[in-house]
Amino acid sequence: MAINVKLMKRPERDVSYLRASLKGMAITFRHLVAPKWTMQYPEQKSTDDYTISQRWRGTHRMLTDEQGRAKCVACGLCPQICPANCIKLVPGEDEEGHRYPLIYEIDEFRCVFCGYCQEVCPEEAIHVGVHYENSEYQRGRFVYDLERLCAQTHPVSTLWDPSDPRGE
Amino acid sequence: MTPELKGYLLVSVIKLVVVFFTLLVGVAFVTWLERRVAAWIQNRLGPNRVGPQGLLQPMADGLKNFVKEETLPAQADKTLFLLAPGLAFVPSLVLFAVIPFAAPFPLSFDFSLPLLGQFAYAGPMPMIVADVSIGLLFILAVSSLAVYGIVIAGWASGNKYSFLGGLRSCAQMISYEIALGMSIVTVLILTGSVGLTHVVAYQQQTVWFVFSLTLGFVLFAISALAENNRLPFDLPEAEAELVGGYHTEYSSMRFAMFFLAEYGALITMSALMATLFFGGWDIPFTAWDQGEPSVLKSLATLVVFVGKTFFFVFWYIWVRWTLPRFRYDQLMGLGWKIMLPVALAYIMLIATAVWAFDALGLADGALYGLALFGVNLVALFIVFRVLDSGRLIGQQYVRREGSA
Ligand code: SF4
Ligand code: SF4
């Protein structure tokens, strides 16, 4: 040997190459006919064994009140806490002194889906959602504006609850 | 040209074209099968989207390969680089020409066409592309040509990994070619002819060679794995060590050519195993297929032949997804220190047995085959007893402590 091969001490008896090979073949054949684990994704999104966690943090969703207005009061906490600095908020105020967001945009590309915005929001307005199908044809479409955030309908994340750490 | 010659040419060309395209379709099917079986073995489903059960996946792959960009490495030897895939591709398909794939087909015609004149053919038509009398020699000669494609690809890529792959395949092919040839010699001893039609006919009259030459079959099957660069002997490719080996630098259709070559060789080798040791197109337990040629018989034997070939293709895939790759020195050790001596000793054994049976006046026939089977069982037992005691593969690395 040109290269140094580390010499292993192999057992001299009780080694059966033939039997080992045949055993291997038998094992693979058993797997060949065994039931498969594959989930047929686009048609099938959850199985008995696998469902997406309720604590999944996906793209955002803005909850609305009875009149269909965003619950957000433009307090500015979420842009403040956002570690990725991806929330753009321009507050506005109507004649009765109610604050509302003039512009509210989340850049889902920069977002790290930490869920802090949901945790910090005093109005429980902004939420991360249990949702993962986000394909778009253009990069620009990943900046979700207020209208889009309000229009999302997927379930919202329950986040992590310290009193129920395993989500039971 | 005489009408007979023209008829002969016509029939040959038709057979050629049909077999060629069937083989290509077979290759496409086998790539699909490999991926599916691999997936099943890993408890997955595999490609099942394109067409029913994913059967059209090879088409999609082919299309993709066609539209991909072709790259030429700067250090590559251009001519050889472009030539290599073809060199690998051709021998793998040519080999099929000498394999008989069905019982003779009753076909005779005598017609004339304007301008071309008269065509005549007196059947029955042998179902083999080229019924050459040197069948087995042709196989040995052409199958060793396939290595050139790989070696040249490795050399021309101008890449050390490819080069190592080429080098390995060269060494591997030379080592296992010998064992392969030797295991075929026993077939020659029994049939007394190198034509594959004779091999099939002989097995029909006696028993399949898998019984009378069991150990020969084992040797052949193992060497065939090495000849085709299939796991556990896929050292020329060895993705884990050589990033793909000889085809590292290839892209698009040239890369696909290597794959066609690999799977073409896979099918051909399987067909060869079926022919040499499993009676070719012979339908077992009946002499019906040997009588007067008829369309039905041809079709039935064709189905049987395809079935046997398919079995070996499946076996190849199954082995690939079961056994891990050999280390290079183990491969060489196995080839030269086990396969070759065993093959040589086996030739001696079979020759002696044949001589002894002849001396005893045992006539060619089923009994003769069964007697040989007995001899084989003894040989198999001895070989695997020795091999199985864990001393042959990698023996040189076992340091004995205590004793001498
Ligand atoms: S999930 Fe985290 S990163 Fe994303 S917008 Fe909310 S606070 Fe910012
Ligand atoms: S924390 Fe809630 S209420 Fe405050 S700006 Fe963000 S979304 Fe609006």
Side-chain angles (χ1 to χ4, degrees):
Chain A
M1 280 305 287
I3 323 165
N4 277 331
V5 174
K6 184 158 183 273
L7 306 184
M8 308 268 282
K9 217 175 110 46
R10 297 185 196 283
E12 287 194 34
R13 298 206 172 276
D14 308 323
V15 177
S16 170
Y17 292 112
L18 185 70
R19 255 174 287 161
S21 303
L22 291 182
K23 210 163 125 192
M25 301 280 280
I27 289 174
T28 43
F29 195 80
R30 266 206 301 283
H31 281 276
L32 184 80
V33 292
K36 307 295 175 244
W37 288 93
T38 310
M39 197 161 94
Q40 300 272 352
Y41 162 58
E43 294 91 34
Q44 194 187 11
K45 291 183 182 167
S46 61
T47 62
D48 297 342
D49 301 315
Y50 179 79
T51 43
I52 183 168
S53 164
Q54 281 313 298
R55 273 156 43 184
W56 175 276
R57 304 193 296 263
T59 46
H60 298 78
R61 191 180 154 192
M62 174 72 79
L63 296 194
T64 50
D65 60 12
E66 305 80 55
Q67 285 123 51
R69 295 176 305 192
K71 277 186 172 177
C72 173
V73 295
C75 69
L77 282 175
C78 58
Q80 187 65 34
I81 193 126
C82 178
N85 199 12
C86 63
I87 304 181
K88 181 176 174 193
L89 171 72
V90 174
E93 208 174 302
D94 63 12
E95 26 323 322
E96 293 159 46
H98 293 142
R99 283 167 67 89
Y100 67 96
L102 270 179
I103 300 177
Y104 190 94
E105 281 174 4
I106 298 185
D107 185 345
E108 302 287 349
F109 263 169
R110 295 186 62 181
C111 172
V112 297
F113 299 103
C114 60
Y116 284 180
C117 48
Q118 171 173 350
E119 226 163 304
V120 83
C121 180
E123 299 294 319
E124 300 199 334
I126 192 72
H127 286 81
V128 277
V130 185
H131 185 242
Y132 49 88
E133 289 166 322
N134 307 314
S135 334
E136 294 287 355
Y137 286 104
Q138 284 144 15
R139 289 183 73 89
R141 293 274 295 149
F142 278 94
V143 180
Y144 288 11
D145 58 10
L146 189 60
E147 201 180 332
R148 175 116 181 248
L149 287 166
C150 291
Q152 307 257 45
T153 52
H154 50 254
V156 296
S157 170
T158 54
L159 291 186
W160 185 67
D161 180 2
S163 63
D164 177 22
R166 289 167 176 228
E168 293 154 351
Chain B
M1 279 203 280
T2 61
E4 284 76 24
L5 181 62
K6 273 192 278 188
Y8 176 75
L9 282 180
L10 182 69
V11 168
S12 298
V13 167
I14 291 174
K15 274 195 288 195
L16 201 66
V17 170
V18 169
V19 169
F20 179 71
F21 281 104
T22 317
L23 213 51
L24 282 186
V25 171
V27 166
F29 172 71
V30 172
T31 57
W32 170 84
L33 189 75
E34 167 116 282
R35 294 174 64 183
R36 283 306 292 250
V37 170
W40 289 333
I41 283 179
Q42 297 163 352
N43 287 12
R44 299 183 285 117
L45 283 175
N48 63 347
R49 292 286 157 154
V50 193
Q53 288 297 310
L55 267 171
L56 293 181
Q57 185 71 38
M59 307 278 173
D61 291 345
L63 199 68
K64 187 191 100 174
N65 273 320
F66 262 115
V67 297
K68 280 231 154 176
E69 184 192 356
E70 194 149 332
T71 53
L72 187 71
Q75 300 93 336
D77 182 327
K78 201 169 169 211
T79 328
L80 291 181
F81 188 80
L82 299 184
L83 193 67
L87 279 182
F89 179 58
V90 172
S92 70
L93 293 188
V94 166
L95 220 50
F96 207 88
V98 295
I99 299 176
F101 49 86
F105 191 78
L107 174 81
S108 52
F109 55 78
D110 192 349
F111 63 88
S112 42
L113 287 177
L115 292 178
L116 292 173
Q118 202 184 11
F119 290 83
Y121 189 78
M125 173 177 77
M127 293 292 258
I128 174 173
V129 175
D131 191 5
V132 288
S133 50
I134 52 156
L136 284 172
L137 299 181
F138 182 83
I139 284 167
L140 286 178
V142 174
S143 72
S144 40
L145 275 183
V147 71
Y148 281 101
I150 295 177
V151 173
I152 289 178
W155 169 256
S157 293
N159 168 324
K160 58 189 167 200
Y161 293 116
S162 308
F163 181 64
L164 276 176
L167 213 60
R168 281 179 176 194
S169 84
C170 197
Q172 174 177 328
M173 291 270 188
I174 289 171
S175 320
Y176 282 84
E177 189 87 350
I178 298 173
L180 190 85
M182 292 291 178
S183 56
I184 297 182
V185 169
T186 53
V187 174
L188 300 187
I189 292 178
L190 282 196
T191 44
S193 160
V194 285
L196 281 174
T197 19
H198 295 281
V199 173
V200 174
Y202 186 87
Q203 291 180 75
Q204 283 174 333
Q205 275 138 36
T206 59
V207 290
W208 289 0
F209 281 152
V210 67
F211 296 115
S212 47
L213 297 171
T214 321
L215 185 55
F217 167 66
V218 173
L219 290 174
F220 186 88
I222 297 177
S223 331
L225 284 174
E227 276 289 296
N228 281 0
N229 300 324
R230 295 285 296 184
L231 268 164
F233 302 114
D234 75 332
L235 285 126
E237 277 175 59
E239 304 90 335
E241 330 163 4
L242 295 185
V243 268
Y246 61 90
H247 58 56
T248 307
E249 297 290 354
Y250 282 88
S251 56
S252 92
M253 215 44 213
R254 293 192 192 280
F255 173 74
M257 288 276 262
F258 278 116
F259 261 68
L260 290 183
E262 180 177 335
Y263 287 101
L266 179 73
I267 294 180
T268 322
M269 265 301 171
S270 306
L272 203 57
M273 266 198 264
T275 307
L276 286 179
F277 295 98
F278 280 74
W281 46 263
D282 178 36
I283 303 176
F285 309 120
T286 169
W288 170 75
D289 53 338
Q290 295 159 40
E292 265 304 291
S294 77
V295 178
L296 184 64
K297 278 177 198 170
S298 288
L299 288 182
T301 49
L302 183 66
V303 169
V304 168
F305 178 77
V306 170
K308 288 174 185 174
T309 308
F310 174 80
F311 171 78
F312 283 108
V313 168
F314 174 75
W315 177 78
Y316 261 106
I317 296 174
W318 184 13
V319 166
R320 168 166 181 187
W321 296 99
T322 304
L323 299 180
R325 187 179 303 127
F326 274 61
R327 208 172 58 207
Y328 187 58
D329 59 309
Q330 289 172 333
L331 174 92
M332 284 299 160
L334 181 68
W336 290 103
K337 292 183 185 163
I338 300 176
M339 302 283 286
L340 182 59
V342 168
L344 278 174
Y346 188 61
I347 293 177
M348 297 297 291
L349 178 76
I350 291 299
T352 318
V354 167
W355 172 77
F357 291 164
D358 284 350
L360 290 174
L362 205 59
D364 259 15
L367 195 64
Y368 192 84
L370 288 183
L372 268 177
F373 184 45
V375 173
N376 268 283
L377 282 185
V378 176
L380 269 178
F381 180 77
I382 295 172
V383 168
F384 281 110
R385 196 65 226 146
V386 179
L387 196 74
D388 235 18
S389 65
R391 294 190 178 195
L392 279 172
I393 302 176
Q395 181 202 23
Q396 61 271 45
Y397 300 112
V398 178
R399 291 252 169 93
R400 296 187 183 195
E401 263 137 333
S403 65

